[in-house]
Amino acid sequence: MTSSEFKISDNAPESLQDLYEEAAACLQHGYLTGASACLLLLNTELAELMEIFGENREARIQALREYTNADPQLFDSLLSLKRYDDEETESLSYDGWSNNQLRQMLKIYSEIIEEYYPNSM
């Protein structure tokens, strides 16, 4: 993965840029748990900044569909993110996300952020 492979809009708030870059760096070094945790935090931060409120993470992800023109099917991947306290995760029966899944999720967030915080021309 090159450093230019994952980039978000320069107009995005610093908090989103930091979480996104940390997730990409974790993925680059093979720290899949760290990348997953950063994506969960990125989802929460993005929803708060966009003033998308819902009962839970899934409701916020569903609401994101209405705020962007990104392909609605991309959000299905985001819904696959599990919280660290999900029963399946705690029982150690959950294998986590693969490198390819995390790469796809980073690209999805990049598209959402780019649409909401477009770069200046």
Side-chain angles (χ1 to χ4, degrees):
M1 174 173 60
T2 64
S3 59
S4 63
E5 183 176 358
F6 294 108
K7 180 108 172 86
I8 62 172
S9 171
D10 293 335
N11 290 331
E14 188 175 343
S15 59
L16 294 179
Q17 291 182 26
D18 290 347
L19 286 168
Y20 189 89
E21 289 170 9
E22 177 120 6
C26 286
L27 183 60
Q28 183 177 12
H29 294 289
Y31 303 136
L32 303 185
T33 301
S36 300
C38 288
L39 283 171
L40 289 171
L41 290 170
L42 181 68
N43 177 71
T44 300
E45 182 72 11
L46 181 60
E48 287 178 12
L49 289 169
M50 293 175 69
E51 297 183 0
I52 296 173
F53 303 103
E55 276 186 40
N56 54 39
R57 180 182 47 81
E58 289 83 7
R60 289 188 298 273
I61 290 172
Q62 292 290 0
L64 274 174
R65 289 181 200 241
E66 299 174 22
Y67 285 86
T68 180
N69 290 325
D71 182 352
Q73 292 181 339
L74 297 176
F75 291 90
D76 293 338
S77 294
L78 297 180
L79 287 169
S80 73
L81 284 169
K82 294 191 178 292
R83 288 176 41 91
Y84 65 89
D85 58 352
D86 283 349
E87 184 177 313
E88 185 180 351
T89 305
E90 281 192 1
S91 70
L92 300 178
S93 63
Y94 178 64
D95 292 331
W97 301 281
S98 71
N99 188 295
N100 287 336
Q101 288 170 311
L102 291 167
R103 292 169 87 78
Q104 180 183 10
M105 289 177 198
L106 276 169
K107 288 179 183 179
I108 292 166
Y109 275 113
S110 177
E111 288 181 31
I112 294 168
I113 293 167
E114 180 63 35
E115 181 151 333
Y116 202 73
Y117 300 100
N119 276 320
S120 303
M121 293 271 181

